[in-house]
Amino acid sequence: MEVSNEVSNKDHKLEREMREVGELSLVRLVNDSTSDEESELVSLSLGISSTGKHEKKIRTENSRENEDLKEGLSLGLGIRFDPSAIQNQSTESRCDGEMKEEELREIWPPSKVLKTMRTWDKSEASQHAEVKKARVCIRARCDNLTMNDGCQWRKYGQKIAKGNPCPRAYYRCTVSPSCPVKKQVQRCAEDMSILISTYEGTHNHPLPTSATTMAYTTSAAASMLQSPSLTTQLGLLNSDTVPLLNSNVLYNLNALNFTSSCHHVSKSPHLFFHSSSISTSSSHPTVTLDLATLQTSPHIGNFTPSLSFIPKYSSTNVDFPSSTFSPLQSSVLHSPCYGDYFNYEGLITPNRNLNGSHMNTGKQPFLGHLCRSNNITNHAVSKQSLPDSIVAASKAITATPKYQSAILAAALTAYAGNGLRENHDEAQSAGLDLNLGGDMPYTTKTIYPNSNASRYKRMSFSAPTAPKINSVIFQPSHASKSNLLLDQ
DNA sequence: CGAATTTGACCTGCGC
DNA sequence: GCGCAGGTCAAATTCG
């Protein structure tokens, strides 16, 4: 009995470690692909929450085990971060229709086979336990038990977290048994109608079209957060560039495939985010995207955020000049594309351009996408040409290699959200199927509530403790000028 | 009957 | 070192 337990524990250890190695390798890949100068980024990314010593250990482990992992990881790597791979994937799903769930399952071996792969994962992970993964937290009003992000999840645990009477459910991505992505779902204590979904990790497998938006968005947000280039160089950012990066994450987030009950979001013709935040808490750096305060206000142009940012990697406070919300962000948010990201069923519109041809091969500049989206008009919103400030911002960013990983992440997000349909009628006239995104149903059924109180006898219901985190917070303000505060 | 969920037990990290 | 809280495991249970 003891022996079998020991073996079992070793298996889990291996599983964790294998997943961790996958994450680290992926981080390296995305950085390598951005520029020649990314070697610095690689090490910084790896070192986000680890010491140099640990980093060294990771690399040693990686090289030792790399050969065995190669096969298991190569597919996911290519699809995840290689733009051409993304293009291929997208192209395939556009040409042949959405990659069906069944097809995905055929690609991956049965769970029993891949259980061995997970076992692999664990041995590495335990050795790299200190390497904390970035998380992307999404708050959205949703009546359903869970937000439909297009992925398949399997519940593996549930627990009451301190300060919230609602149980937190733990899910694992089951599209691929070796996928390291996890999700936590919990109701907001203050407002039970708000569902808080926290994503961790990056998918290492092909995703259903309906899931790509979330995947790329969370990936981009996480990359943004993890990018030392962004967090260490904030002194070079201005109020245009910060929203520039964030806008694309937020922009793409609006394509989330909410279930129909999330009408507050899915039926909104024009969406914008009241707030998003980045926290770099000691345990897990987290990007929080708040969809719960979405509004359909036509006065988006008045949206002026207050911004505070305390970079994790720098002890130096940075003062940003006051300014209104980035015109680029404003234009993006105003974009008909933005509003039309949801079709009338609240589903993601396909990644096609107005001609029905495939868009964005992954070689187009990031800003190009944004400019193009600005050209597609059909709504009664003001059209803005790209202001000089944005051009300046783009120059500033592209001239700074250290921003490139963040840009890449944002660009991937843009790719995922590219080729939006102008509206449903136009799509139909073009002979397109707007529902290519499909809607992979959840396999989970019950998350909340849990009546078994005895299980949580240790829980306490004290008020949430004051955040000890550094944060970036975008908040709406009706003041003429935004407040850019820095404190630590 | 296999797959998915539930839930008590256990592990781990962190603060004191 | 201890206790707490978050997170995970895995046997039992439920579901389709």
Side-chain angles (χ1 to χ4, degrees), chain A residues 10-21:
Chain A
K10 281 182 180 175
D11 283 352
H12 295 317
K13 228 177 170 184
L14 282 165
E15 187 180 330
R16 283 186 198 149
E17 286 166 350
M18 185 172 166
R19 289 188 194 178
E20 208 61 51
V21 167

Side-chain angles (χ1 to χ4, degrees), chain A residues 70-88:
Chain A
K70 218 176 274 177
E71 198 172 340
L73 289 173
S74 58
L75 177 61
L77 288 171
I79 287 170
R80 277 185 55 214
F81 287 117
D82 180 1
S84 61
I86 290 171
Q87 178 203 353
N88 291 341

